[in-house]
Amino acid sequence: MSVNSPDPTRQLDVVLVKAGRTKIRYAAELLFDDGVRLAVRAPWAGDGVRDFGFVRFERGDVFTEYYWRDRWYAVKEVRDSAGQLKGWYCDITRPPTLSGAELVVEDLDLDLWVSADGSDVLRLDEDEFEESGLAGSDPTAAAAAVGALDELERLARAGGFDALLA
């Protein structure tokens, strides 16, 4: 490739796995990968509108998703079709694996929502996490998941994710 040629955009499939089954698979553009942290950008991959009450995900929304190979979470910056920040949706996951063009992420049920202005910091799906039985089947993973949720909540309440995502 010549010096004047732009690098081709690398496309990945993000594969979100939950309880051993593929929950969703979607195409994303790899923005960077430094060996520890990687980021992808993808349009809202859900069917139609998903209204959580505190935020609506809908056609045209764009997710910039940050993953760490050494951390038990992913932080997803959510913007609407005009580029307006909606907030950050954080998934508690096992560290992801990148194999070829697939980024495989195992969802551990716990989530955190942080509104764009930082006024709402909501822990989500703690009941689903409890019902998953992970604390009994893999107590080490369960402790890492709860610790990751606590860490993200502390960061959000202390001023947000700017330093984390820089």
Side-chain angles (χ1 to χ4, degrees):
M1 179 175 304
S2 80
V3 173
N4 295 327
S5 300
D7 288 338
T9 302
R10 181 163 175 207
Q11 296 292 313
L12 298 177
D13 279 344
V14 177
V15 182
L16 188 62
V17 177
K18 189 171 179 176
R21 300 172 69 178
T22 298
K23 182 176 173 184
I24 191 169
R25 171 188 291 267
Y26 54 92
E29 172 190 354
L30 178 65
L31 300 176
F32 68 83
D33 180 356
D34 66 11
V36 175
R37 184 176 72 146
L38 60 107
V40 301
R41 183 170 295 131
W44 165 241
D47 295 327
V49 173
R50 180 128 187 233
D51 189 341
F52 291 95
F54 50 86
V55 68
R56 286 170 51 102
F57 296 155
E58 54 202 328
R59 176 176 228 128
D61 287 351
V62 176
F63 287 65
T64 303
E65 305 176 3
Y66 299 86
Y67 298 91
W68 290 261
R69 290 181 175 92
D70 61 351
R71 298 186 189 182
W72 289 66
Y73 55 75
V75 177
K76 300 174 180 184
E77 179 186 272
V78 185
R79 294 185 177 271
D80 68 17
S81 60
Q84 184 71 33
L85 180 64
K86 290 185 172 188
W88 296 268
Y89 195 92
C90 306
D91 284 325
I92 305 304
T93 69
R94 291 183 189 271
T97 58
L98 180 61
S99 178
E102 281 191 344
L103 180 64
V104 179
V105 183
E106 184 180 348
D107 185 349
L108 298 177
D109 293 310
L110 294 172
D111 301 298
L112 186 78
W113 169 254
V114 182
S115 62
D117 65 3
S119 63
D120 289 327
V121 178
L122 306 172
R123 293 171 73 109
L124 306 170
D125 303 329
E126 289 177 300
D127 55 336
E128 288 181 29
F129 178 73
E130 186 69 31
E131 291 168 9
S132 75
L134 188 64
S137 65
D138 190 344
T140 302
V146 171
L149 182 62
D150 291 343
E151 177 184 345
L152 286 172
E153 182 179 13
R154 273 193 305 278
L155 288 170
R157 293 191 187 283
F161 299 129
D162 289 344
L164 179 67
L165 303 180

